[in-house]
Amino acid sequence: MSTIHTTEPDPESQLILHTWRKLFENNYGSELDRASLYEEEVFGFEVRWELLKNTPLHSIFPTNNPKKALELGNQVIREQFQNRNSITRPVIRIVGFDQEFSYYLEDVRTRDRGRLLSFQVTVTNLDTPMGWLKKSKYICHDCGVTWSVNQSLARERKRSTICLDCEREYIKQMKESKGKAKIPPPTHNITMLVEENVYEDIQYVEITCPSMISKVLEQEDSNQIYSYLAVVDDEYVGSLSINQEVRINAWVELDHLPNRDFAMDTRRVFIFKVHSIESRN
């Protein structure tokens, strides 16, 4: 029988978890009470940025570790839905960011990598929806421990080759017995639990800045419209249409050129990993 080891959250994580719980309890109680009525497999739970501004999360999002804060927030809201017997998986979508987050697509530079910014965009093309391996799960056949490995979108898959629990126990015994451990060295007797891997739906979207389109229409000598690549996930897959104008709140990231990889080429292109989508302002 496999076992799963859990660890106590660090002080920062405990603060973030507590902040999210209080925010949901104080501001979204009625919405949470309707959780059992949702029929969607994935539900985008919108949280207003103004509600985060008076909490410790306000200082985390612009500069520190916003992705960690979101992961912990999603953990809290999943617990809230489960406590209400809902089978829907909720995903936090923060909306209504302040003006300080607003940016034009054409003004983004490599120094903005990793920032969460807000853009007014026009959709110019849509790719076929697909899935990607978000989290792979392994089991050690020697000790029965299971663990998960978080993957990164469009990157080489991270692989486990050895059980860290077996390795730690072996090293511990070697130190205590001065090189005469009573257990054998850890082996590679591990297997990926394919059916327990976590996948996520995604869709690549081409976007441009509405102001570029306006300039082309207004000025005969202006014919330059830049196209940028964005990626949406979960409930946003299949929700957009060509020529639709929306506001996206997205992480600015860098990706390799099409038909290349990070080893073959040092050039990079921007990719916008969409966190939330709002109607045109």
Side-chain angles (χ1 to χ4, degrees), residues 52-256:
L52 299 175
K53 291 171 63 174
N54 296 321
T55 73
L57 296 174
H58 176 259
S59 61
I60 292 174
F61 268 86
T63 56
N64 295 326
N65 198 346
K67 293 186 179 181
K68 174 183 177 180
L70 271 176
E71 288 175 2
L72 293 171
N74 281 320
Q75 176 183 322
V76 171
I77 198 170
R78 282 196 298 269
E79 293 172 354
Q80 297 283 349
F81 269 55
Q82 290 168 1
N83 291 340
R84 291 165 171 81
N85 299 317
S86 174
I87 60 174
T88 295
R89 178 170 64 85
V91 179
I92 292 174
R93 303 296 189 187
I94 302 174
V95 296
F97 285 97
D98 291 341
Q99 189 62 32
E100 65 184 281
F101 289 87
S102 294
Y103 241 65
Y104 287 106
L105 284 173
E106 63 265 37
D107 291 337
V108 172
R109 298 294 182 265
T110 54
R111 61 177 175 269
D112 298 312
R113 180 166 59 98
R115 296 180 66 188
L116 176 61
L117 298 174
S118 186
F119 306 92
Q120 199 75 26
V121 305
T122 298
V123 178
T124 58
N125 197 20
L126 298 166
D127 265 8
T128 303
M130 65 177 71
W132 74 286
L133 176 62
K134 188 174 184 179
K135 183 182 294 185
S136 54
K137 192 167 184 178
Y138 291 85
I139 184 170
C140 174
H141 297 290
D142 291 330
C143 69
V145 166
T146 62
W147 66 93
S148 296
V149 178
N150 292 324
Q151 305 293 334
S152 299
L153 180 62
R155 301 292 186 270
E156 182 177 351
R157 180 169 64 84
K158 301 172 186 174
R159 295 170 171 81
S160 282
T161 59
I162 197 170
C163 174
L164 295 181
D165 277 51
C166 290
E167 183 181 51
R168 281 192 289 265
E169 181 61 26
Y170 178 73
I171 292 174
K172 176 184 175 183
Q173 289 202 21
M174 287 289 285
K175 290 180 177 179
E176 292 176 349
S177 62
K178 297 182 180 180
K180 297 180 180 180
K182 295 181 180 180
I183 60 174
T187 67
H188 300 284
N189 190 19
I190 65 174
T191 303
M192 179 189 287
L193 298 173
V194 178
E195 296 303 319
E196 296 188 37
N197 286 343
V198 177
Y199 293 89
E200 183 177 68
D201 294 318
I202 59 170
Q203 184 178 27
Y204 286 96
V205 180
E206 289 184 24
I207 56 177
T208 192
C209 186
S211 61
M212 291 184 186
I213 298 176
S214 299
K215 288 178 182 178
V216 170
L217 295 175
E218 296 171 1
Q219 304 175 23
E220 294 183 359
D221 60 343
S222 177
N223 59 0
Q224 197 163 34
I225 298 180
Y226 298 129
S227 182
Y228 299 86
L229 191 63
V231 59
V232 299
D233 59 21
D234 283 332
E235 80 279 12
Y236 290 139
V237 174
S239 67
L240 297 173
S241 57
I242 295 177
N243 295 326
Q244 183 178 1
E245 187 172 333
V246 294
R247 175 167 291 279
I248 65 169
N249 306 303
W251 310 103
V252 180
E253 301 291 353
L254 295 176
D255 206 356
H256 56 75

